[in-house]
């Protein structure tokens, strides 16, 4: 399968996915690593590891719609089977999401549907939850509310700060996203009519 990975910064999730593809020789062609910011550190990593790296600077577009139209054209030219958002900090417009219906996947650092939006670790701490985690889900026009493919959970420990929580969660994000990519490569992820996801033969 062909996947495009979209990042905005460090790109540690993208790195984990690329390393999994290489280490396990998955039948996955990462056709591009695209960032909306030219200074994204993940772009340097991608280039250094022989991946196609691209920038579509949202600042150069007069409107969200214009950016989305350019992104759509850039992605259509590559014809990816899936578009994996990995620390991509732009909200995609409904038209773009509908155009790629069922092919855009995101990782969100909370156990959705709890704590959609930003500052999820702060939300978890302020609500006093005892379990936090990440969610890999299909992207739909409604932000952070698409069909859930996989989740990973971590305990919230006494004395946790947003930083310690984020640090404990990050390797779990990498493991969960890599597992989803394996399933995608095996063609086992199915979006059901009722909006839930089934993974054929999931262990
Ligand atoms: C991660 O916590 C991810 O869940 C969120 O953005 C953060 C950045 O991740 N979406 P990365 O290192 O850029 O992949």
């Amino acid at each position: 399968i062909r996947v495009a990975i979209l990042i905005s910064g460090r790109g540690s999730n993208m790195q984990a996915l690329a390393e999994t593809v290489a280490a396990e020789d998955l039948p996955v062609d990462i056709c591009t690593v695209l960032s909306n910011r030219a200074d994204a550190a993940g772009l340097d990593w991608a280039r250094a590891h022989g991946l196609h790296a691209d920038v579509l600077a949202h600042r150069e577009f007069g409107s969200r719609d214009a950016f989305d139209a350019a992104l759509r054209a850039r992605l259509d030219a590559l014809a990816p089977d899936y578009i994996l958002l990995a620390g991509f900090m732009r909200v995609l417009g409904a038209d773009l999401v509908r155009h790629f219906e069922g092919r855009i996947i995101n990782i969100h650092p909370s156990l959705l549907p709890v704590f959609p939006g930003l500052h999820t670790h702060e939300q978890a701490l302020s609500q006093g939850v005892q379990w936090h985690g990440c969610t890999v889900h299909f992207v739909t026009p409604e932000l952070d509310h698409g069909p859930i493919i996989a989740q990973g959970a971590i305990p919230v420990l006494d004395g946790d700060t947003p930083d310690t929580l984020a640090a404990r969660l990050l390797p779990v994000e990498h493991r969960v996203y890599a597992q989803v990519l394996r399933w995608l490569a095996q063609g086992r992820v199915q979006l059901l009519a009722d909006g839930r996801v089934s993974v054929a033969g999931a262990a």
Side-chain angles (χ1 to χ4, degrees):
I1 57 169
R2 281 170 67 81
V3 301
I5 304 181
L6 273 48
I7 65 171
S8 293
R10 172 186 50 187
S12 74
N13 276 284
M14 173 273 297
Q15 294 177 35
L17 294 175
E19 286 169 351
T20 299
V21 170
E24 300 174 17
D25 199 20
L26 293 182
V28 174
D29 169 20
I30 298 173
C31 57
T32 191
V33 174
L34 186 148
S35 174
N36 61 306
R37 297 173 52 116
D39 63 350
L43 290 172
D44 295 332
W45 189 94
R47 293 185 188 104
H49 288 75
L51 295 172
H52 178 269
D54 201 1
V55 178
L56 197 65
H58 63 274
R59 290 197 188 91
E60 290 171 12
F61 293 88
S63 71
R64 186 171 290 278
D65 286 351
F67 173 79
D68 279 5
L71 179 59
R72 169 176 166 163
R74 193 72 61 90
L75 290 171
D76 276 342
L78 292 164
D81 297 295
Y82 293 100
I83 298 154
L84 308 183
L85 310 184
F88 188 65
M89 302 312 280
R90 296 277 302 173
V91 175
L92 299 177
D95 290 347
L96 181 66
V97 171
R98 272 191 281 272
H99 176 72
F100 292 109
E101 186 79 58
R103 293 162 59 194
I104 308 183
I105 292 170
N106 181 46
I107 186 162
H108 179 79
S110 81
L111 292 174
L112 290 175
V114 175
F115 309 143
L118 298 174
H119 312 303
T120 61
H121 314 302
E122 288 81 350
Q123 292 186 62
L125 291 170
S126 67
Q127 296 295 321
V129 298
Q130 298 193 342
W131 294 94
H132 187 38
C134 61
T135 302
V136 177
H137 62 95
F138 282 106
V139 172
T140 57
E142 190 185 355
L143 188 66
D144 297 336
H145 274 72
I148 292 171
I149 304 170
Q151 294 188 304
I154 58 168
V156 179
L157 305 177
D158 285 348
D160 260 333
T161 65
D163 288 348
T164 62
L165 211 40
R168 186 174 314 121
L169 182 56
L170 201 57
V172 176
E173 293 181 36
H174 297 166
R175 272 201 300 281
V176 172
Y177 221 163
Q179 182 58 60
V180 170
L181 185 54
R182 287 190 201 93
W183 287 338
L184 292 173
Q186 295 161 348
R188 291 167 55 183
V189 180
Q190 199 185 354
L191 202 41
L192 301 175
D194 67 359
R196 290 181 309 113
V197 174
S198 92
V199 180

